[in-house]
Amino acid sequence: MRVAVVTESFLPQVNGVTNTVRRILEHLAARGHEALVVAPRPGPAAYAGFPVVAVPGVGLPGYREFKLGLPTRRVEKVLRDFRPDVVHLASPIALGAAGARAARRIGVPCVAVFQTDVAGFARQYGFRGTDAVIWSWIRHIHRQADVTLVPSRASLEQLDAQGVPRLALWARGVDAARFSPAHRDQTLREWLLGDREILVGYVGRLAGDKRVHLLAHLADLPKVRIVAVGDGPAAPSLRALIPSAALPGFLSGQALSAAYASLDVFVHTGADDTFGQCVQEAMASGVAVVAPAVGGPLDLVRPGHTGLLYEPDDTDDLKRRVAELVGNPALRAQYGAKARETVLSRSWASVCDELLGHYDTALTRYRRLEEAVS
């Protein structure tokens, strides 16, 4: 199969969209398929042995580090020259819209992956009253897709209510060897703890849409040191807001694995996540999770079994849930062990094989439509 991946985000940006696309490309290479990537610049010339075609990108207002690909006529030429069997649109917004249009013009099916709650993202950055316009645009893009894949039941219900057709559930995988309790590092723990006893941490982008400022409500819990692993525009304000917090910056590889596994409690603060991959990675690391009772985490965290959920806008509830785990090491251990058990079957290989099945579905639907028209 020849797959053209048009993605709104790719390396050097590290986020959920980029990481998912990387896993897809690695899987396509392992299964002997051919692929091409269209992504905003700057970026690598190739990945997993596949060429990456860079198009102009522009930084988002309020978050200049995040580059959004610009829709250009070059997209259609690149896809026409590649002659794909299917076009994969990764979190389509602007560049993805050009990919959808190009797929229609060259006569091939496309699969769109809904991964970013753009309306929620916009609200977090002060763009109020834009929901109707944003959802109108999202419907326009996804109605051109033969299949739209959503990562959680909450997203499926959300898009169904917005009138997006041909929906299917497609979750995310996790590397249970890379994210494992075996990476717990006592030396790292001692360095992070200082004069405290419990590490309560967050891992991810330090940005306004992730609501990392909520961590400040946990800073006065007895014996607790707040840890925020990651980088982003909110890092300076978070450092000022919680002077006692440990902010080791962006981590990857073994350092990231050790950071996850060395936490006692993982706290997720974002309320607009369509999935919550960091939650799943913490669970694989055997760490008890506290997450908002909204969006993707609803599929991941089973309250009272693998972690706890809190009302997303209730900081007192957040603090109560975290305090419950801080004061009960046996409960933390129980939730962490159960959490890891629940994610062990979610390998990236199995999840990406499911994706290949969705490609086949898109091809079949497209051919039937062609036959009906002819």
Side-chain angles (χ1 to χ4, degrees):
M1 189 180 295
R2 296 174 66 81
V3 182
V5 179
V6 181
T7 178
E8 296 291 347
S9 184
F10 200 54
L11 297 171
Q13 295 296 313
V14 178
N15 51 48
V17 176
T18 295
N19 290 338
T20 300
V21 169
R22 289 172 58 205
R23 290 291 189 170
I24 292 167
L25 295 172
E26 290 163 6
H27 191 75
L28 291 173
R31 292 290 190 267
H33 300 288
E34 293 296 323
L36 169 83
V37 184
V38 180
R41 67 169 67 110
Y47 189 83
F50 302 131
V52 177
V53 177
V55 298
V58 61
L60 293 179
Y63 196 169
R64 306 302 298 181
E65 297 90 342
F66 190 97
K67 301 296 183 183
L68 190 69
L70 297 177
T72 68
R73 294 181 179 179
R74 189 183 178 203
V75 175
E76 181 180 336
K77 182 182 185 307
V78 168
L79 297 190
R80 192 179 293 277
D81 290 345
F82 179 64
R83 296 178 294 107
D85 297 305
V86 64
V87 174
H88 176 115
L89 307 176
S91 198
I93 303 171
L95 184 57
R101 182 173 59 251
R104 188 175 66 252
R105 288 173 64 91
I106 66 177
V108 296
C110 70
V111 172
V113 179
F114 179 80
Q115 194 164 342
T116 305
D117 182 353
V118 183
F121 187 95
R123 286 194 301 273
Q124 292 294 339
Y125 285 94
F127 293 92
R128 304 290 175 175
T130 59
D131 282 34
V133 172
I134 290 172
W135 278 111
S136 176
W137 180 246
I138 290 173
R139 280 194 297 271
H140 168 70
I141 296 172
H142 285 271
R143 283 174 176 171
Q144 298 176 68
D146 297 273
V147 179
T148 285
L149 302 179
V150 294
S152 63
R153 287 175 297 173
S155 292
L156 192 148
E157 292 169 1
Q158 183 183 36
L159 266 67
D160 183 57
Q162 290 292 339
V164 176
R166 298 177 292 280
L167 299 170
L169 193 63
W170 182 60
R172 300 294 177 268
V174 65
D175 187 335
R178 181 184 177 197
F179 300 104
S180 164
H183 298 295
R184 193 172 178 88
D185 187 324
Q186 188 58 34
T187 301
L188 175 62
R189 279 182 56 79
E190 291 173 0
W191 177 69
L192 292 172
L193 281 167
D195 60 352
R196 309 296 175 86
E197 297 179 18
I198 306 293
L199 293 179
V200 173
Y202 163 91
V203 178
R205 287 187 297 109
L206 303 184
D209 58 294
K210 295 299 184 181
R211 309 193 312 167
V212 290
H213 64 278
L214 296 184
L215 295 170
H217 295 275
L218 310 174
D220 63 349
L221 286 172
K223 304 178 182 179
V224 164
R225 160 90 8 101
I226 301 299
V227 181
V229 177
D231 199 5
S237 60
L238 186 63
R239 190 173 286 109
L241 190 61
I242 319 175
S244 63
L247 276 69
F250 175 80
L251 300 178
S252 61
Q254 176 59 31
L256 179 61
S257 302
Y260 266 118
S262 297
L263 296 175
D264 295 300
V265 180
F266 179 86
V267 176
H268 188 55
T269 52
D272 299 300
D273 282 22
T274 58
F275 185 71
Q277 181 66 355
C278 59
V279 172
Q280 185 166 244
E281 290 170 352
M283 293 172 70
S285 301
V287 179
V289 170
V290 177
V294 66
L298 291 172
D299 283 0
L300 296 172
V301 180
R302 182 179 166 191
H305 185 74
T306 62
L308 297 172
L309 296 174
Y310 66 92
E311 289 301 315
D313 296 319
D314 188 339
T315 55
D316 290 335
D317 192 33
L318 165 62
K319 190 171 183 177
R320 279 193 299 270
R321 301 302 182 188
V322 174
E324 182 179 344
L325 291 176
V326 165
N328 194 333
L331 190 61
R332 294 200 305 267
Q334 177 187 325
Y335 286 174
K338 291 291 184 182
R340 180 165 170 79
E341 284 180 16
T342 65
V343 302
L344 286 178
S345 62
R346 301 175 187 172
S347 71
W348 274 109
S350 63
V351 166
C352 288
D353 277 339
E354 288 179 17
L355 177 62
L356 296 179
H358 290 302
Y359 289 165
D360 287 335
T361 297
L363 283 162
T364 300
R365 283 180 179 170
Y366 190 82
R367 288 165 183 161
R368 286 176 179 169
L369 183 61
E370 280 190 320
E371 291 171 0
V373 172
S374 61

